[in-house]
Amino acid sequence: MSENGQSVAAPDSAGGVDKVIDLREIDVYYGRVNALSKVTLEVRQGEIVALIGSNGAGKTTTLRTISGLISPRTGEVRLFGKTTRGMGAAQIARLGVGHAPEGRRLFPRMTVRENLDMGAYSRGDRAGIRTDLESVYTLFPRLRERDSQLAGSLSGGEQQMVAIGRALMSSPKVLLLDEPSLGLAPILVDAIFEVIREINAKGTTILLIEQNALLALKTAVRGYVLETGSVALSGPAEELIASPDIQRAYLGM
Amino acid sequence: MSEYKGPPAADPGALGVGTSRGGSAMLVAQSGLAPRHGRAGGILGGLGPLVRLLQGWISTYFSLLLLGMMALAIGLTGVQHGVTLMGEQIKNALVLGAIYALVAIGYTMVYGIIELINFAHGDVFTASGFYAFGFASLFHLDSLATGSFGGLILALVIVFPLSMIAAGVTGALIEFVAYRRLRDAPRLAPLITAIGVSFLIEGIMLVVEGPDNVTTHMASWINGEAFSIAGVSVGYTDLFVIGMALVLMFALGAFVRRTRLGKAMRSTAQDRTAALLCGININRTISATFFIGSALAAAAAIIYSINYGVLKWNIGFHLGIIAFTAAVLGGIGNIVGAGVGGFLIGIIYVFGGSLFGGEWSEALIFAVLVLILTFRPVGLFGVEVTTRA
Amino acid sequence: MVKPTKGLLSIGTIAALGVLAACGTSSTPTSSSGGATGIAGCHGTITVATDLPLTGGDATDGPFPQLAAELAVNQAIAHKLLGGCTLKYVSKDDSTVLKNGHDPAQGAANITALASDATVMGVVGPFNSSVALAEIPVASTNHLAIISPANTNPCLTAVVPVCSDPTININTASLYPGAHTYFRVIASDVQQSEIDAYIAAKVVNATKVYLIDDQEAYGRGLALLFKKYYTTTEGGTIVGQASLPGATSTFATQISLAKSEGAQAIFFGGTTGNGCGLVRRDMGSAGFNVPVLGGDGCEDTKFISDANSGANTSEAEGSYATSAPDVTKLASSATFFSQYAAAYSTKAAPYNDGTKEPYTAYGYDAMNILLQAIHATLVANGGQPLSSPQAFRDAVVAQLRNTSYDGALGHTTFDANGDTTNTGFTLYKVTSGNWVGVNTYAVDTSGKVTVKS
């Protein structure tokens, strides 16, 4: 565990081949406002990594930068070992990045099924799409029932399922989840996290933002703590849980 | 890509008026908590909740009220002047409405996808009418179309696709040159640019085509009476205008519902960020939207030309504003709404003019616009307020 | 003026209007001068001016009457019409870049400037009725005579029922805070509509007419006046009335109504640019075959092409319109047009040919009438200018009231309102794809319409 958060990269990953996400000292600005400064972060193949921090710390901005919705002013975003400089969000999505964004951002006037289909927009393999649709329905049986209902009319939990399902429909190599538990009943939160573990078990790498830091760190193998746009702490999840600073600031202990 | 702003129809707070029973009930319930307005004391102050109740009621039943008033106007025409005039005016309304509907769709598609009132759309309509005139002259389609029925079909098969493609390219080009760079600029910037583009196209047409009506000779393509009922003579042209508009609208509807590009257009309109995350090429989708909207304007212009026989450099501006009202009436961003709105505006225009005098036709249309914006800003077919939590 | 700009007035058989002298005599009226009245001994400077739109969008209108008026001044100088006095001429342009043509504010400023020059005794102008509205009060306050070659709005000189209509909204009385110093040598729309009403009733033989206007001051005024004279003088019935904006692309609703009401004619008050011909086209589509009658705004070739643009390519046939007689065809104008051509042969086309614009001869006669009045004033004052400029101007206005002038347009006198009595409108009918003159009608002050030729 590194206290300064700057030299997080473990020595064994120097080759970078198994680094799915590799952020190198990125600075992000909204106009003149500095949202991220010198953020360095990596997610390796098969991991669940949690990104925690208080509101406004820059978690969502980090995910948006990875998906190409925002470009860093300095620094580099590398995905699957290649730089994404000059690529648009749509192109990055097609590389295999599934992003269930903040606020779910469903297509409210399209049915559940159409929303899921849009997730598979850039895929051509019909058979694969059908299989993935089946597996989404298996993960979220509710969605099969709501199949032809307009997404805008769903409950919050169901919308979250569609958002995750849509991201999964692109058959992503890495899944970015932004607050999957937001606004959900506790019983649903557990269910969603159960699904997240299932998805990961099938081989999808996951980068997760979560308000509930304890739940996030229990699910993840590693974690990053963002404070006002910088990485304050990072390390294996169990170490972070054990850290007194984290316990005081984020776990309410 | 900057921060995305949600589409208006799905923005619960922006419009301020409840559009469901629940919404209006909430407005009434909240009135007790709302700060009292200094001037609205006394009796008027007491009327506040009543007025709000009434407003909520009108909002809820706006569509029914409007349709009821139209039915009343149609019936009244029949009672006052007889069935023949009523029938003739219905025919006139449908013919006019068909053209408004096709133009309205272009406005609504563009507004739906980039929230821009594309003021140049009406002028693309006019320009594509001139394209069609040009193609008809180039390929001597007049003699072909008037020669035989087969010749007419052939002429139509030539002139529609060519003009629609030319118009589509024009529309996409306008987007590329004038609007794309301003996509993330404050809303006023593209709006003013759109007005500028409109003036530019009108100026070009004024110079090229002159200030007067230009006879396109296309009115001679289709003529003759198809049938006559209750003294109302329905011409083949009337049937062509209405039929062609319906066919094109259904084709567009199927396109948008079923095809990959259509779905990309719908999802981009509903949530551009999410569309990007799904891997949709936004620029290409927006170009396609302009292309299709403009192509429909071209179809409308050909239909116009076949029905009216003349074009003038500035007809599109006027017609465009009325068509835009049709789009708002139907629910801006909603393609079905624009189609139906076009026909409804045709009815308001014709029967308003028939009952109250022609000088009231346009006043009535804009009165309806004000009423929609007051009582049902999402339009007749607008989506009920949805919340994205 | 509120009419559209026209090119050459159209073809048609126009018999000579007016009777007497050719204008050659009017340009040398000084034969009796000199001698006893001592005008040769006149000393001082007298200035006359024109105020017309010369640039921008009006560059094809104003320069013609301006050049014609200047020709009249040059002829007067050559013939020493004002004896020993120096005759000066000033040309003002009421166009601005801002308006790309005539600008009422500029017109008012021009008249103010001219009025402040004590030697200015009269102005020929303006061209446009909107400019006249701004200029008349200034001229009235300053006792300055202005003679328009082209204003046809009736409300400039007299209160007629249409003046309070919202689209026109002219308070005639307020135009004249001082003396009534405004005159015009062209007939107003009142006379035209009286003749139109007569034609609808007596030539078309319609007892029921449907009325459409284009919402503009000219068209709406004409329609309202037509309605007045058709219903009162002629005893006809207006079965319906619609007022539609110039951008109207279809009149189908109104045609259906007119048909349903059994109209025997449709009168269109307005211009071809605002739909006159399209009304005829839509009547064809609706299978409604009664005549269309319009004013001078409809009598042009665009009417015919618009009317024929529908499925029936000879729909325009049999349509009627009244218009000012073609002054280029008048025997009285022949000398003037040849003098104009001779004087301006070096000008670029089209300005080298006075017949290219309908108002050229009006500008010439207006200036000659002004010069005649000044001449008469000098004669009446013992051959000398009056010492007080204001009294001089008043005397010129008084002389203008007594005008009896034979010029290019025929015989001109003014009534109490300053309107010309030299009225006359020709009825044209579309025959074999052309407007062909049928008859020329005149109306007297009692409203009686007679066939002039």
Side-chain angles (χ1 to χ4, degrees), chain C residues 161-170 220-221 224:
Chain C
V162 300
C163 300
S164 56
D165 185 84
T167 52
I168 300 167
N169 192 24
I170 296 172
R220 179 132 178 98
L224 293 176

Side-chain angles (χ1 to χ4, degrees), chain A residues 30 64 67 69-70 89-90 93-94 97 99 101 103-110 114 117-123 152-153 159 166, chain B residues 1-4 7 9-10 257 260-261 263-264 266-271 273-281 383 386-389:
Chain A
Y30 286 120
R64 290 171 65 86
S67 319
L69 293 172
I70 320 165
R94 275 177 251 139
V97 178
H99 186 165
R104 291 144 198 173
R105 310 213 85 130
L106 301 185
F107 305 117
R109 277 160 284 153
M110 292 170 103
E114 284 178 317
D117 283 348
M118 289 320 293
Y121 180 79
S122 43
R123 294 175 66 183
S153 68
Q159 291 197 8
R166 186 178 63 187
Chain B
M1 189 59 56
S2 82
E3 278 297 83
Y4 173 83
R257 258 196 321 279
R260 200 174 128 83
L261 182 57
K263 284 182 181 175
R266 281 165 67 208
S267 51
T268 305
Q270 291 176 34
D271 195 321
T273 301
L276 270 172
L277 294 178
C278 291
I280 293 168
N281 185 330
V383 193
T386 49
T387 330
R388 284 200 317 267

Side-chain angles (χ1 to χ4, degrees), chain C residues 415-441:
Chain C
D415 68 12
N417 296 323
D419 285 331
T420 181
T421 57
N422 183 9
T423 65
F425 284 88
T426 302
L427 176 65
Y428 295 87
K429 184 179 186 181
V430 179
T431 311
S432 308
N434 287 308
W435 285 108
V436 176
V438 180
N439 266 322
T440 295
Y441 297 85

Side-chain angles (χ1 to χ4, degrees), chain A residues 35-94:
Chain A
L36 294 181
S37 58
K38 300 254 179 290
V39 168
T40 295
L41 175 154
E42 60 173 56
V43 178
R44 274 170 244 149
Q45 180 65 43
E47 283 186 327
I48 298 183
V49 173
L51 193 55
I52 60 176
S54 51
N55 282 333
K59 296 170 296 188
T60 295
T61 304
T62 307
L63 291 205
R64 290 171 65 86
T65 310
I66 295 168
S67 319
L69 293 172
I70 320 165
S71 302
R73 188 173 289 180
T74 56
E76 192 183 18
V77 178
R78 295 177 72 85
L79 296 174
F80 314 112
K82 281 181 229 132
T83 182
T84 63
R85 192 168 291 142
M87 292 170 94
Q91 233 176 319
I92 290 173
R94 275 177 251 139

Side-chain angles (χ1 to χ4, degrees), chain B residues 189-242:
Chain B
L191 193 72
I192 291 170
T193 308
I195 294 171
V197 172
S198 167
F199 281 140
L200 178 72
I201 302 175
E202 284 187 13
I204 293 170
M205 287 189 294
L206 177 59
V207 170
V208 176
E209 303 290 346
D212 296 316
N213 284 323
V214 175
T215 304
T216 62
H217 310 293
M218 284 163 87
S220 58
W221 285 22
I222 303 175
N223 49 45
E225 184 187 272
F227 58 86
S228 171
I229 59 173
V232 183
S233 160
V234 178
Y236 285 111
T237 311
D238 303 322
L239 294 180
F240 171 77
V241 169
I242 299 165

